[in-house]
Amino acid sequence: MLQGHGDDSYQYTRPITANFSSNVYNRIDLSGLKTYLCEHIDIIGNYPEPEPYTLESRLAKQYRLSAESVCVTNGATEGIYLIAQTFRGTQTAILQPTFSEYADACRMHGHRITSLYSLPSEREGYRLPEDIRMLWLCNPNNPTGTVIEKKELTELIRCNPEVCFVIDQSYEFFTLCPLLSAAEAATYPNVLLLHSMTKRYAVPGLRLGYLTGDAGLLQRIRTNRMPWSVNRLAIEAGLYLLENDVSRPLDLSAYLCETERLRTRLEALGGLEVWATQTHFMLVRLRIGKASALKEYLAEEHGILIRDASNFDGLDEYFFRIATQTPEENDRLVKAIEEWMIS
């Protein structure tokens, strides 16, 4: 596992009071879920289902899929490692810079990994290199916040039928851009989608994700899933969130407007290159100074945590990533960075 993921507040002696380092938005009202789980805490005295059939069936109903086209996992990360294990030794490409766990999982299971920094265009017939048999894409992408145009993505899938496309849509509920739906993905024999209830509902401690896609591919993946990998409380939480129609846990349009406001204020400081984003987090490059030094200053002097992004493949020591928080916290961040730049 790569050292230096976000949300590493445990490393600091000063309490972190504004956390921009994690892409989980923690201002979602979970009071109903917490009350429900407290009322049902006695369920931890019994084993969960060996495989989370009930939650898979509920998700399948929501997406109008067969239950065989849904595979619930212990967070999206378990899904990543299960895919890498199931297709052990594959010639794999990863579109970089992106989440490091794709490469970590593939290395663990003997994949031969190629890094790509762009996708083939229409001029190139959308054709991937001939030896590639699996392609990992994060869409929206972490850490850049970019989204691949849906038409381009479907053309890539159609023009490369021999390639299994693993598309991580963990941030699908944090963009207004069109994405592949679970139902659309299930019509392709070579597509797997990764989904994250962790990200959507801000419950990272519960570890809850799922895969959707071709039933045949998912059947192969299930053979490697450990019994009871998803705990009883996580399953109960998933059912509660679906059955109580918690479909819009935040006002996305307002949140993305705040993201653009934050981006504009950071650009106005000068000395920063702020990348355009199509979701709630953004990549920033310092023109002077190192991201690690800025991170230490913000944490120790202001109780603010950012993500040093220098350890993403293809990025350097000047990059950091932030996820939009409340307007008040965002203003604190801008002011603190300005102080660091002039000190």
Side-chain angles (χ1 to χ4, degrees):
M1 181 177 181
L2 177 72
Q3 295 301 309
H5 281 295
D7 206 12
D8 54 352
S9 57
Y10 53 83
Q11 296 191 57
Y12 298 95
T13 53
R14 174 171 178 160
I16 297 299
T17 55
N19 187 353
F20 292 82
S21 73
S22 168
N23 290 338
V24 175
Y25 181 66
N26 288 308
R27 295 301 184 270
I28 292 172
D29 181 8
L30 294 174
S31 55
L33 173 64
K34 291 175 181 177
T35 299
Y36 178 81
L37 291 181
C38 286
E39 291 171 350
H40 292 77
I41 194 65
D42 287 347
I43 64 174
I44 66 172
N46 300 100
Y47 279 95
E49 298 167 336
E51 295 185 18
Y53 310 110
T54 304
L55 184 53
E56 287 174 347
S57 296
R58 181 63 184 81
L59 284 162
K61 181 180 178 182
Q62 175 172 303
Y63 288 120
R64 294 184 170 86
L65 295 171
S66 69
E68 291 74 28
S69 291
V70 181
C71 178
V72 171
T73 55
N74 187 329
T77 301
E78 186 194 18
I80 292 167
Y81 280 81
L82 281 172
I83 293 168
Q85 180 184 1
T86 302
F87 301 97
R88 181 188 299 274
T90 299
Q91 186 71 35
T92 290
I94 301 172
L95 185 63
Q96 301 282 5
T98 198
F99 188 42
S100 64
E101 294 299 336
Y102 313 142
D104 288 350
C106 288
R107 278 192 291 266
M108 179 181 290
H109 293 289
H111 289 235
R112 299 176 298 283
I113 302 170
T114 299
S115 289
L116 300 180
Y117 294 91
S118 63
L119 294 171
S121 65
E122 182 178 8
R123 237 172 97 185
E124 299 165 299
Y126 295 108
R127 288 291 297 165
L128 291 162
E130 289 187 2
D131 59 338
I132 299 302
R133 292 295 174 268
M134 178 169 281
L135 176 63
W136 296 74
L137 305 168
C138 189
N139 198 42
N141 184 47
N142 174 23
T144 63
T146 53
V147 174
I148 301 167
E149 187 179 340
K150 186 175 178 179
K151 181 180 183 298
E152 178 187 0
L153 186 55
T154 54
E155 285 298 312
L156 278 166
I157 294 166
R158 185 183 64 81
C159 293
N160 296 274
E162 73 286 359
V163 177
C164 180
F165 286 78
V166 182
I167 305 169
D168 186 348
Q169 293 192 173
S170 290
Y171 302 105
E172 62 194 321
F173 297 105
F174 296 91
T175 185
L176 296 173
C177 297
L179 302 174
L180 271 183
S181 70
E184 288 170 329
T187 66
Y188 294 100
N190 61 329
V191 173
L192 291 166
L193 294 186
L194 283 153
H195 309 269
S196 174
M197 297 185 82
T198 289
K199 301 291 192 304
R200 185 180 188 187
Y201 298 109
V203 287
L206 284 175
R207 311 308 306 135
L208 193 56
Y210 54 99
L211 306 174
T212 59
D214 176 74
L217 290 177
L218 290 177
Q219 179 54 39
R220 293 177 63 184
I221 289 167
R222 281 192 183 89
T223 63
N224 291 307
R225 184 174 56 183
M226 294 189 303
W228 307 297
S229 72
V230 184
N231 74 74
R232 187 77 186 271
L233 278 181
I235 292 171
E236 202 67 28
L239 291 171
Y240 173 89
L241 292 167
L242 293 172
E243 291 171 1
N244 288 273
D245 194 28
V246 187
S247 56
R248 296 184 184 275
L250 80 162
D251 183 338
L252 180 58
S253 294
Y255 188 34
L256 294 181
C257 283
E258 178 60 21
T259 299
E260 186 57 29
R261 188 187 77 87
L262 172 59
R263 183 174 175 276
T264 301
R265 288 210 60 196
L266 288 170
E267 282 187 325
L269 293 177
L272 299 174
E273 178 187 345
V274 189
W275 288 28
T277 181
Q278 292 163 292
T279 184
H280 66 300
F281 53 86
M282 66 194 79
L283 194 61
V284 185
R285 189 176 191 273
L286 292 167
R287 294 194 175 100
I288 299 173
K290 295 182 179 180
S292 58
L294 174 60
K295 179 182 177 181
E296 290 299 311
Y297 171 82
L298 292 173
E300 297 295 350
E301 300 299 324
H302 293 275
I304 295 172
L305 190 63
I306 63 172
R307 167 70 152 91
D308 178 354
S310 60
N311 57 357
F312 280 94
D313 190 306
L315 302 185
D316 60 26
E317 60 194 4
Y318 306 107
F319 282 92
F320 65 94
R321 188 199 69 201
I322 54 173
T324 305
Q325 301 302 316
T326 66
E328 295 75 20
E329 289 171 323
N330 297 334
D331 290 342
R332 276 182 61 197
L333 174 68
V334 173
K335 184 179 179 182
I337 292 177
E338 184 177 27
E339 287 180 8
W340 179 78
M341 292 172 69
I342 63 178
S343 63

